[in-house]
Amino acid sequence: MKLRIGQGYDVHILVEGIPLVLGGVQIPHTHGLKSHSDGDALTHAICDALLGALSLRDIGYHFSDKDPANKGRNSLEFLKIVMEMIREEGYEVNNIDVTVVLEAPKVNPHVPAMKKALCETMAIREEDLSIKATTSEGVSFVGRKEGIAVFAVCLLYKVTDNFGGM
């Protein structure tokens, strides 16, 4: 069985007065993530992990922040397209593991809703997606409540051979 591992990372700064969207879920908070799209750093990190696993470049290459069509765009749309690309290459998700680093608000109460939204979008089982949350204990831009960092890894497995035996 052919396996591929991908790693994704995303950061955004927090800005007062805009919605905070993580994993496709709007989370009540005074600050949101500054971005050209909806700023969903969790979904962006997953997209980069999936794309990286198959050497398909990165989310910015496929969904440029210079493209007006991506202004304010729901990042779950990016994820759906990325999953189509993964499946076109003959791969499927074995599992995805995500770590969200954010001082406030607390992410853990929203994990079930995020898993539901993300897994429905990717058409994978909820048991194949892990979302963990932590703080940076007051250290760095995250610790000063200036932004967020998200790390994601994925394992893909080959289900079909669309290219004659690679």
Side-chain angles (χ1 to χ4, degrees):
M1 177 185 301
K2 185 161 183 169
L3 303 173
R4 301 293 296 260
I5 297 171
Q7 180 262 333
Y9 170 73
D10 198 28
V11 296
H12 286 278
I13 63 170
L14 286 160
V15 176
E16 189 171 7
I18 61 175
L20 175 60
V21 178
L22 288 175
V25 174
Q26 188 166 330
I27 298 174
H29 193 53
T30 58
H31 290 65
L33 301 173
K34 183 178 179 184
S35 177
H36 184 70
S37 67
D38 63 4
D40 187 341
L42 193 159
T43 301
H44 296 174
I46 291 174
C47 286
D48 268 347
L50 293 165
L51 291 165
L54 296 182
S55 299
L56 297 174
R57 312 259 326 234
D58 58 56
I59 190 172
Y61 177 80
H62 295 281
F63 309 103
S64 172
D65 62 3
K66 306 291 187 258
D67 185 345
N70 294 327
K71 179 74 175 158
R73 193 167 176 190
N74 184 329
S75 294
L76 292 179
E77 294 176 22
F78 301 152
L79 183 58
K80 184 175 182 178
I81 294 167
V82 167
M83 285 304 300
E84 290 169 0
M85 295 167 64
I86 298 305
R87 290 185 173 118
E88 284 173 9
E89 295 289 326
Y91 282 83
E92 194 55 63
V93 171
N94 187 75
N95 70 301
I96 299 170
D97 184 28
V98 180
T99 303
V100 178
V101 188
L102 182 66
E103 295 299 310
K106 294 293 183 194
V107 173
N108 277 321
H110 306 283
V111 168
M114 290 188 282
K115 286 183 69 165
K116 184 178 188 318
L118 292 163
C119 290
E120 284 179 3
T121 300
M122 292 185 284
I124 66 171
R125 301 174 305 173
E126 287 190 28
E127 64 199 51
D128 295 333
L129 173 62
S130 169
I131 301 173
K132 305 175 307 297
T134 190
T135 69
S136 66
E137 303 293 332
V139 177
S140 82
F141 74 97
V142 174
R144 291 187 302 271
K145 299 181 182 178
E146 296 170 3
I148 188 173
V150 182
F151 301 86
V153 293
C154 72
L155 179 64
L156 304 180
Y157 64 93
K158 186 86 166 172
V159 290
T160 62
D161 188 354
N162 295 338
F163 301 102
M166 287 204 56

